[in-house]
Amino acid sequence: GKWHMGVNCKTRHDHCHHPLNHGFDYFYGMPFTLLNECQGTDDPELAKSLQDTYWFYTQMIILAVFTLVVGKLAKLFPVKWKIIIFLAICGLLHFISWFSSYGFTKYWNCILMRNHDITEQPMNLQTTTPNMLKEAIMFIERNKHRPFLLFVSLLHVHTPLITTEKFQGRSRHGLYGDNVEEMDWMVGKLLDVIDKEDLKNTTFIYFASDHGGFLEAHRGNSQLGGWNGIYKGGKGMGGWEGGIRVPGIVRWPGVLPADTVIDEPTSLMDIYPTVVELAGGTMPQDRVMDGHTLLPLLQGTEQHSRHEFLFHYCGVFLHAVRWHQRDSGTVWKAHYATPVFQPEASGACFRRGICPCFGDGVTHHDPPLLFNLSQDPSEANPLSADTEPLFDTVVRRIRRAVEEHHQTLAPVPQQLSPYNNMWKPWLQPCCGTFPFCWCHEENNKA
């Protein structure tokens, strides 16, 4: 499925970020992410405001060159042809540089790979769903006689909501509902294979989402990015519950008790230590691991999550901290920065398309906004020293936890820097002779 970690570092074929270079033995899916550009029917999603700015600069350069040419031919003002040609070349290079990054997104980034080979460029959205389901089923059948780890990262419930014709119009909740129903059907197909191969009682299954609903995703009056119920905020927000609180569903018949609801804060960072324990491995001892095994909580041998503190980031910026107070069971959350909603009461950043992590789109809080999530999960009523006797104690304890947390962090190169987000032709995955990158699965099989 969706890897979304990129592929190359220095050359087109080094595959330094590829799944096979990070512990996986087999890969089929998208090395990047799913964007509106992949479908080509909706407004561009990738850096839309940035594209508008680049296009404005391009128009200004074209206008300047046109004005100089007319002035030169009409002898209105003296200007050398060298200057006009130089300005025209600069404008052309500027246009090529940004249009290569964003104008050809469908051909550069909307691709499918099997291991190191590109199978479709651009990907055929109509066949992606059955192809991924087929690959996952074949993987289970190939490995059914030995232990295996299958990580399926579905493209569903993600704009542009790729939905096959069979499921379009099935739901009362529009295209998003149709997409959820198709995802549910795909998960059911995988569970059916597990059951058919008699692996039901020996397979640990964990189903979860990576973030809350994408509130800003709209087409006309239709909401395309889900709904977060009572929780404030959504996707891309490092602090508000609507962006980070998601359910997890676990299945392991005969080992885990059925019909159990665990209302404890855990994290997707817990998947790694859980899998390591299931596989009989040992955790690395040369670094601080942020995750904890879920098995004691799931098996009922422990009643509380091992996460006393969870640190919620937006990019590299710490926006909020959750404190699960062990002696009382109370869950507090302190917000150090929150996005500026547009409009103010909307709970989202509709004018920007998605909320920023820093800059003028963020409000900083000192002292932090404090909420008691045990009593106020929708984060509607911020506490103060006047309304909460423990306010100062809680804020001081969380601040100390942040200081201890910062001591465990090692600086690394910023992968989301402007330079690293620029398109680099020497890194571009290509299934043909660059820049002629077109191929389809059927042709490869033939």
Side-chain angles (χ1 to χ4, degrees):
K2 186 178 72 166
W3 175 240
H4 202 168
M5 300 290 281
V7 181
N8 303 316
C9 289
K10 296 180 179 179
T11 69
R12 186 172 295 135
H13 302 293
D14 64 31
H15 297 124
C16 71
H17 295 306
H18 193 281
L20 300 196
N21 209 34
H22 290 274
F24 288 92
D25 301 308
Y26 182 81
F27 171 65
Y28 180 82
M30 287 191 78
F32 307 121
T33 189
L34 190 61
L35 297 160
N36 285 346
E37 283 88 337
C38 296
Q39 192 161 351
T41 56
D42 294 333
D43 289 335
E45 183 180 358
L46 193 63
K48 187 176 186 304
S49 60
L50 201 59
Q51 290 187 62
D52 293 340
T53 303
Y54 286 151
W55 179 235
F56 174 77
Y57 290 154
T58 302
Q59 289 175 313
M60 290 299 99
I61 295 172
I62 292 172
L63 182 61
V65 171
F66 180 76
T67 303
L68 289 175
V69 169
V70 171
K72 174 74 172 177
L73 295 176
K75 298 181 180 180
L76 296 176
F77 42 79
V79 60
K80 294 182 179 179
W81 282 111
K82 286 182 180 179
I83 296 177
I84 297 175
I85 294 171
F86 176 78
L87 187 60
I89 292 174
C90 288
L92 180 62
L93 291 175
H94 169 75
F95 173 76
I96 291 173
S97 66
W98 75 262
F99 196 78
S100 296
S101 297
Y102 303 116
F104 294 125
T105 295
K106 181 174 182 178
Y107 297 95
W108 293 153
N109 293 342
C110 302
I111 64 178
L112 281 176
M113 296 183 78
R114 180 182 287 107
N115 293 328
H116 289 146
D117 300 321
I118 298 172
T119 61
E120 291 185 4
Q121 189 173 13
M123 59 192 282
N124 181 351
L125 300 186
Q126 300 307 310
T127 59
T128 299
T129 296
N131 283 350
M132 286 196 176
L133 185 58
K134 180 178 68 176
E135 288 281 341
I137 291 173
M138 289 170 59
F139 179 87
I140 295 172
E141 292 174 342
R142 282 200 308 271
N143 294 280
K144 61 185 177 183
H145 296 302
R146 58 180 181 178
F148 65 83
L149 169 69
L150 172 60
F151 174 36
V152 181
S153 183
L154 298 168
L155 301 184
H156 281 62
V157 204
H158 189 293
T159 53
L161 297 177
I162 297 172
T163 308
T164 60
E165 191 174 337
K166 176 182 175 183
F167 281 88
Q168 291 176 11
R170 288 270 292 266
S171 165
R172 292 177 300 161
H173 301 282
L175 183 57
Y176 186 87
D178 296 343
N179 204 250
V180 171
E181 290 208 10
E182 184 163 50
M183 177 189 68
D184 181 64
W185 171 79
M186 291 177 71
V187 172
K189 286 292 183 183
L190 294 176
L191 295 181
D192 288 345
V193 176
I194 294 288
D195 295 349
K196 187 188 83 161
E197 300 295 348
D198 199 26
L199 300 172
K200 184 175 183 178
N201 293 333
T202 56
T203 304
F204 177 88
I205 295 171
Y206 185 22
F207 176 84
S209 176
D210 55 346
H211 55 69
F214 182 11
L215 301 182
E216 292 89 354
H218 276 74
R219 184 188 298 152
N221 294 323
S222 301
Q223 190 167 349
L224 302 181
W227 180 64
N228 296 320
I230 66 169
Y231 303 115
K232 186 181 293 185
K235 177 183 178 180
M237 301 183 205
W240 294 118
E241 290 292 278
I244 53 184
R245 183 190 282 236
V246 295
I249 304 173
V250 178
R251 189 184 89 156
W252 194 2
V255 178
L256 302 180
D259 302 322
T260 303
V261 177
I262 299 172
D263 188 15
E264 289 287 308
T266 62
S267 166
L268 293 185
M269 295 184 295
D270 298 332
I271 294 176
Y272 173 59
T274 303
V275 168
V276 168
E277 181 175 351
L278 286 169
T282 56
M283 294 288 288
Q285 302 298 313
D286 61 342
R287 71 201 74 175
V288 174
M289 303 303 298
D290 296 308
H292 301 285
T293 175
L294 293 171
L295 293 181
L297 201 58
L298 295 171
Q299 292 172 332
T301 58
E302 292 183 5
Q303 302 306 311
H304 296 291
S305 167
R306 294 184 182 182
H307 287 285
E308 184 177 7
F309 294 93
L310 282 168
F311 304 91
H312 301 300
Y313 282 82
C314 186
V316 298
F317 301 94
L318 181 66
H319 274 209
V321 180
R322 182 187 313 258
W323 180 27
H324 188 210
Q325 197 172 5
R326 286 177 175 162
D327 52 358
S328 68
T330 303
V331 180
W332 306 92
K333 192 160 74 171
H335 289 260
Y336 293 100
T338 55
V340 178
F341 293 145
Q342 304 163 327
E344 188 174 343
S346 64
C349 301
F350 290 107
R351 291 179 199 147
R352 288 179 179 260
I354 194 165
C355 289
C357 297
F358 63 95
D360 60 358
V362 168
T363 301
H364 294 274
H365 305 282
D366 187 15
L369 291 179
L370 184 68
F371 297 93
N372 182 342
L373 295 185
S374 304
Q375 299 177 356
D376 181 22
S378 61
E379 300 172 287
N381 304 300
L383 304 172
S384 67
D386 297 328
T387 60
E388 174 53 63
L390 295 175
F391 181 87
D392 291 330
T393 302
V394 172
V395 168
R396 277 198 306 270
R397 180 65 188 94
I398 291 177
R399 185 177 293 120
R400 192 165 84 246
V402 170
E403 292 170 356
E404 295 168 356
H405 165 66
H406 282 160
Q407 292 173 7
T408 71
L409 302 179
V412 296
Q414 173 54 273
Q415 294 190 37
L416 298 178
S417 67
Y419 174 76
N420 284 333
N421 272 288
M422 285 173 55
W423 179 70
K424 302 177 184 67
W426 58 92
L427 297 182
Q428 176 63 53
C430 182
C431 61
T433 302
F434 184 82
F436 305 104
C437 306
W438 293 280
C439 58
H440 295 283
E441 180 88 25
E442 294 76 14
N443 297 341
N444 290 349
K445 286 179 180 176

